[in-house]
Amino acid sequence: MDSFAKTVFSAIQPSGTITIGNYFGAIKNWVELQNKHNCIFALADLHTITVMQDPAKLKRNTLEAYALLLACGINVEKSLFFIQSHVNTHAQLSWILDCYTQFGELSRMTQFKDKSKKHVDNINCGLFSYPVLMVADILLYQADMVPIGLDQKQHLELTRTVAERFNFLYGETFKVPEAYIPKNGARIMSLQDPCKKMSKSDENLNSWVAILDSSDNIIKKFKRAVTDSESCVRYDESKPGISNLITIYSCATGKSFDEIEKEFDGVGYGIFKEAIGECIAENLSAVQHRFSEFIQDKSYLEKCYKESAERALCLSDKTLKNVIEKIGFVK
Ligand code: TYM
């Protein structure tokens, strides 16, 4: 680690399927950042219960998500990678910071508005204050940088606001973090409605591609991707379907949009869709293979998440103790 190494924090909810949106928007960047920076990653299981979860499924999803992220390249020799509910400081700081966050600020969060429309029978307080838990996750580690997709940007802005407010009231306590949003892949769109974000909660199974989808399924989903009536492979914001496919192909291959347009010059959408399906299937098959090994070794997984949680507790407790002191709680 050189002296330019920064502290990086990010997390993902283990609430089922992990998609190529999560992969290109976040996980792939986490893996790259590990080589230069001090990285801390978590499975945000506390966040998942803001919507109803089946207990057995939540447990299985959490272990699978842990194994899958290791398979994607998260390396516990380089980074901390723990399960959020194992580190008590997150819930503790979250409560404290609830008291420094305004009702109006949380009411404006677009994810809260969207999710409360979707889960009308369970608009619980956790769903409302969810962004504050995310603020606590980040501030506990004095993170400099938070690699996220575009949909989390508003939560990161809230994090900065709350950190600055607390620092103003009590003196320098929290580092004010920066969002790290990739130029390419920050918002991977649905394959069926390219004006909507790709999301695992979309009921149309053809709209998203999971990292663990079979090769046949991946190829089929790309073949069915909705595009427009033209057939020239060209990036153009007024053609969201083909532009989304070009973005995905660019994320997977590292090729620029120009290079991709040249590569598929004169061929129709059909050939391009086939090529991208095959490319993604091939990219993911190595991850899938590693996943099948990790998921069988539960004791290795347990060793990794326990060790990381212990170290995360030590680090985060320093921040929490400082906060407690500043607020005036008796120690
Ligand atoms: P989550 O679990 O919804 O998503 C994990 C990461 O994947 C990104 N992402 C996408 N990127 C591009 N295109 C898409 N279609 C797409 N869908 C998802 C998300 O932006 C995110 O970076 N609240 C967070 C988890 C969290 C967190 C944190 C993140 C909890 N605490 C602290 C950062 C820092 C969430 O629900 O992400």
Side-chain angles (χ1 to χ4, degrees):
M1 240 28 100
D2 54 41
S3 54
F4 297 108
K6 296 191 169 188
T7 300
V8 171
F9 181 89
S10 202
I12 183 168
Q13 292 195 57
S15 50
T17 316
I18 294 183
T19 68
I20 58 167
N22 299 123
Y23 184 69
F24 292 126
I27 301 167
K28 191 166 175 271
N29 301 314
W30 300 5
V31 172
E32 283 161 14
L33 287 165
Q34 289 180 119
N35 298 324
K36 278 209 191 127
H37 301 289
N38 302 311
C39 293
I40 305 166
F41 302 120
L43 290 183
D45 57 345
L46 294 174
H47 281 88
T48 65
I49 59 164
T50 53
V51 300
M52 238 359 157
Q53 299 288 334
D54 172 77
K57 262 197 203 150
L58 177 59
K59 208 175 258 177
R60 196 177 61 233
N61 286 340
T62 306
L63 288 177
E64 286 186 359
Y66 199 91
L68 185 57
L69 265 81
L70 293 185
C72 287
I74 299 301
N75 182 343
V76 287
E77 306 276 313
K78 296 180 184 165
S79 307
L80 297 189
F81 179 35
F82 62 92
I83 299 173
Q84 186 188 30
S85 64
H86 292 182
V87 183
N88 296 337
T89 45
H90 290 246
Q92 285 172 277
L93 184 64
S94 179
W95 167 254
I96 293 173
L97 295 181
D98 269 339
C99 303
Y100 297 86
T101 307
Q102 297 302 306
F103 183 88
E105 287 170 325
L106 293 181
S107 312
R108 285 193 288 277
M109 294 292 128
T110 48
Q111 278 213 344
F112 170 69
K113 290 190 214 163
D114 293 347
K115 285 201 177 172
S116 46
K117 268 188 217 140
K118 216 164 161 189
H119 302 278
V120 275
D121 51 346
N122 186 23
I123 308 177
N124 60 73
C125 298
L127 192 64
F128 186 68
S129 63
Y130 160 119
V132 186
L133 180 55
M134 193 165 151
V135 172
D137 294 341
I138 298 166
L139 297 186
L140 274 172
Y141 299 95
Q142 307 289 347
D144 299 288
M145 215 159 57
V146 185
I148 42 173
L150 211 51
D151 62 330
Q152 298 296 326
K153 188 169 173 241
Q154 198 184 24
H155 294 160
L156 213 278
E157 279 158 9
L158 178 74
T159 307
R160 293 172 57 85
T161 304
V162 173
E164 278 163 358
R165 180 174 300 146
F166 198 96
N167 289 348
F168 176 75
L169 289 169
Y170 296 102
E172 211 53 30
T173 310
F174 297 120
K175 177 109 20 105
V176 180
E178 302 279 344
Y180 178 96
I181 297 176
K183 275 206 192 86
N184 213 2
R187 193 168 162 82
I188 300 292
M189 309 308 275
S190 153
L191 297 186
Q192 289 299 309
D193 176 358
C195 295
K196 253 174 48 186
K197 184 190 81 165
M198 180 182 286
S199 163
K200 58 196 163 199
S201 56
D202 199 319
E203 278 154 22
N204 185 341
L205 304 187
N206 285 319
S207 71
W208 45 261
V209 172
I211 301 183
L212 292 177
D213 271 349
S214 70
S215 292
D216 284 353
N217 229 343
I218 294 173
I219 291 168
K220 211 159 52 193
K221 286 182 182 182
F222 277 107
K223 269 190 191 154
R224 290 185 183 154
V226 169
T227 39
D228 53 81
S229 54
E230 277 182 57
S231 66
C232 166
V233 178
R234 183 170 50 85
Y235 188 93
D236 177 344
E237 274 166 18
S238 67
K239 302 199 303 171
I242 193 68
S243 299
N244 186 39
L245 295 183
I246 293 176
T247 302
I248 295 173
Y249 191 68
S250 165
C251 287
T253 57
K255 292 178 185 167
S256 68
F257 293 174
D258 268 359
E259 285 171 317
I260 296 170
E261 287 171 1
K262 282 198 190 103
E263 186 179 343
F264 294 96
D265 188 27
V267 305
Y269 285 168
I271 306 253
F272 178 54
K273 286 182 187 175
E274 226 170 283
I276 175 173
E278 275 163 19
C279 164
I280 299 291
E282 196 186 311
N283 257 242
L284 295 181
S285 79
V287 174
Q288 294 176 356
H289 181 71
R290 286 195 294 272
F291 168 78
S292 64
E293 292 178 349
F294 280 125
I295 196 62
Q296 282 170 40
D297 197 348
K298 297 284 187 316
S299 60
Y300 176 69
L301 298 182
E302 186 177 337
K303 177 177 169 290
C304 295
Y305 60 68
K306 274 194 170 165
E307 280 177 14
S308 275
E310 273 167 30
R311 289 171 55 203
L313 181 61
C314 271
L315 284 175
S316 57
D317 202 44
K318 280 191 204 144
T319 302
L320 184 64
K321 285 218 169 84
N322 189 23
V323 168
I324 282 172
E325 170 102 34
K326 296 225 163 141
I327 288 178
F329 291 148
V330 174
K331 271 203 202 163

